[in-house]
Amino acid sequence: MPSPTRFWSELKNSLQDRTNAGLFRSRRTWDHLSPRLVADERGQQLVNFGSNDYLSLSWYHPSPCTPSPCIDGIPENPATREGAGASPLITGSTREHDELAKEIARFEHEEGAILFSSGFAANVGVVSSVAGSDDIIFSDRLNHASLIDGCRLSRAKTIVYPHNDLEALQKLLKQHRHEGRRAFVVTDSLFSMDGDVPDLKVMRRLIEENDLIGILDEAHATGVYGVRGTGLVEHLAAESDRWIRTGTLSKAVGSVGGFVAGPKTLIDWLTNFARSYIYSTAAPASQLRRTLAAIRKLETMSIERDTLRSNAINLRQALRELGLCVGGADSPIVAIYATSVGEVMAWSHRLRERGLLVPAIRPPTVPDDGCLLRISMNTSHTSDDLTSLVDAFR
Ligand SMILES: Cc1ncc(COP(=O)(O)O)c(C=O)c1O
């Protein structure tokens, strides 16, 4: 079985070439002291000519009861500053970014982590920076738009395999693997519309046997799967140094932003080559503090995760007993398939009349033959809520 060493050493060598050319980039951490002053890691104060905060409004607070002295709505206390004012490699990275990245790395049991402005940006940035025009990508037919766009931007040859059909994937690998210098499988872990998951253990075997790297979007699985809540790889015990896993802070974490946790080489690579990271403003500080607390909390919520999934199993069973075509196994995304756009819209409308909001999902979000009602469950739903839902379908 080939080892993934070649992939990682190629990344390392390219990074070394960058370093030799004086082009290697790494994130600096800045303390923003006032609208005009920053301090570097050693505490040296500098007048900041590196921000896009042209009117100093990242410091503006509309409330007159700001907890610190305030001149024309601009407080002197940096803790109340909002916008980062610049992209992460210019002056946008602060202690809060550093702390959150370290916390995510600890949570994921990885060497490091990198923050993106959204999960969409993380996916686009990862796929388009690790794959190139000499490579081949095998991509699930129902992948999220951000993975699809990442494949397009990478310029790699992309072969789409039928949804979660790993036998079909195996056949396609036999036919096409040799067409790419490097090869990738790209997939959602928990599919956002259909609520189902790939068999990651089988996929890991295919990845190992065919010398692939797997890019796995854990967006909806973070917080939902795994005892610690890190996602489907943890839940299925499918760990491998051939996965590159992406995540979002906007679903179960309840905030906004995307991330990748992984070995230092990967984090250095993304810092240097992921354009959606390099050329986009860093996240605001208040959001980062909240996110950090949410991740710590999420890690302790295994009982809630179990409840959520057992409620999802029960709901699916009740809906199937009514003769409905229901997707997935135990995830909190429960898809109910309709036969046409008209039918799915009518269902959604009638549920709404009964006080139940269940969005209808139509093309192009899903393929033409895939109209569905998407029920997203959460731990605040009561058993009465779930009974009302089943009664409405009945
Ligand atoms: C599977 C999947 N990946 C990525 C994203 C993008 O995440 P974000 O909303 O943080 O940009 C979404 C959000 O819709 C998603 O469903």
Side-chain angles (χ1 to χ4, degrees):
M1 202 172 285
S3 95
T5 325
R6 195 181 53 145
F7 173 76
W8 293 113
S9 63
E10 279 177 7
L11 297 198
K12 262 192 198 139
N13 292 343
S14 297
L15 287 167
Q16 190 55 51
D17 291 346
R18 281 225 138 189
T19 308
N20 297 344
L23 295 173
F24 183 81
R25 305 182 197 205
S26 55
R27 192 164 42 90
R28 304 283 307 265
T29 302
W30 302 102
D31 278 331
H32 290 254
L33 305 175
S34 76
R36 46 177 289 282
L37 283 181
V38 289
D40 67 13
E41 292 95 341
R42 288 168 304 155
Q44 188 192 354
Q45 291 195 9
L46 304 154
V47 178
N48 183 6
F49 288 105
S51 130
N52 301 321
D53 187 15
Y54 305 112
L55 302 175
S56 301
L57 283 178
S58 74
W59 296 77
Y60 177 69
H61 199 287
S63 156
C65 49
T66 318
S68 67
C70 200
I71 307 157
D72 291 340
I74 295 180
E76 285 167 7
N77 176 3
T80 58
R81 179 173 178 261
E82 267 304 310
S87 55
L89 300 183
I90 304 295
T91 58
S93 286
T94 62
R95 257 173 228 277
E96 283 92 351
H97 294 87
D98 230 29
E99 258 179 71
L100 179 57
K102 283 189 182 133
E103 185 62 21
I104 290 174
R106 183 202 60 74
F107 169 62
E108 295 280 355
H109 290 183
E110 294 284 1
E111 230 176 339
I114 179 169
L115 306 175
F116 289 77
S117 54
S118 68
F120 198 107
N123 282 341
V124 166
V126 168
V127 183
S128 64
S129 68
V130 298
S133 53
D134 296 342
D135 300 332
I136 187 159
I137 296 176
F138 297 85
S139 171
D140 188 288
R141 175 172 178 251
L142 296 189
N143 272 346
H144 189 259
S146 52
L147 293 175
I148 295 171
D149 288 357
C151 293
R152 290 177 179 153
L153 282 172
S154 75
R155 301 201 186 105
K157 174 168 183 172
T158 300
I159 305 244
V160 175
Y161 62 90
H163 176 53
N164 272 346
D165 185 343
L166 300 189
E167 277 180 26
L169 172 62
Q170 188 165 16
K171 283 187 193 135
L172 288 167
L173 284 167
K174 275 209 178 91
Q175 285 165 22
H176 298 285
R177 165 64 188 92
H178 67 278
E179 292 169 27
R181 195 176 73 77
R182 296 193 295 207
F184 301 84
V185 172
V186 174
T187 181
D188 286 19
S189 73
L190 167 51
F191 279 82
S192 56
M193 294 298 138
D194 295 71
D196 54 356
V197 300
D199 184 336
L200 289 188
K201 281 219 164 132
V202 173
M203 193 173 266
R204 181 178 64 180
R205 180 174 56 72
L206 294 180
I207 283 173
E208 286 170 350
E209 285 172 359
N210 292 279
D211 190 17
L212 312 177
I213 294 293
I215 300 179
L216 186 67
D217 174 9
E218 294 260 36
H220 289 270
T222 307
V224 167
Y225 283 114
V227 175
R228 291 185 309 105
T230 63
L232 196 65
V233 166
E234 184 199 346
H235 182 67
L236 297 178
E239 285 83 0
S240 164
D241 52 2
R242 289 178 175 275
W243 292 126
I244 295 177
R245 293 165 57 241
T246 64
T248 177
L249 302 165
S250 69
K251 317 292 182 204
V253 182
S255 183
V256 68
F259 67 89
V260 177
K264 182 175 179 307
T265 304
L266 177 64
I267 305 309
D268 282 348
W269 184 266
L270 297 174
T271 305
N272 279 269
F273 296 106
R275 292 160 67 86
S276 56
Y277 170 76
I278 301 167
Y279 301 107
S280 188
T281 298
S286 59
Q287 174 206 320
L288 300 171
R289 285 191 285 269
R290 209 208 141 277
T291 307
L292 190 117
I295 285 178
R296 287 185 182 149
K297 172 82 182 146
L298 173 150
E299 203 175 352
T300 67
M301 297 177 80
S302 67
I303 293 173
E304 286 84 346
R305 273 188 275 287
D306 288 346
T307 308
L308 187 62
R309 291 210 316 280
S310 71
N311 286 348
I313 290 170
N314 294 339
L315 178 65
R316 278 185 174 84
Q317 191 183 336
L319 294 172
R320 283 187 178 127
E321 279 166 11
L322 297 177
L324 292 161
C325 178
V326 183
D330 68 349
S331 84
I333 302 170
V334 181
I336 303 181
Y337 295 96
T339 51
S340 66
V341 174
E343 185 176 55
V344 83
M345 295 306 286
W347 283 354
S348 180
H349 183 71
R350 284 163 65 189
L351 289 166
R352 194 173 173 148
E353 284 172 350
R354 290 173 158 256
L356 302 162
L357 175 60
V358 183
I361 312 293
R362 295 172 280 171
T365 304
V366 288
D368 288 344
D369 56 356
C371 287
L372 55 90
L373 283 184
R374 180 180 188 264
I375 302 171
S376 300
M377 302 176 69
N378 76 49
T379 47
S380 301
H381 290 138
T382 63
S383 53
D384 282 354
D385 292 335
L386 300 177
T387 305
S388 304
L389 190 59
V390 176
D391 283 348
F393 275 104
R394 186 173 289 119

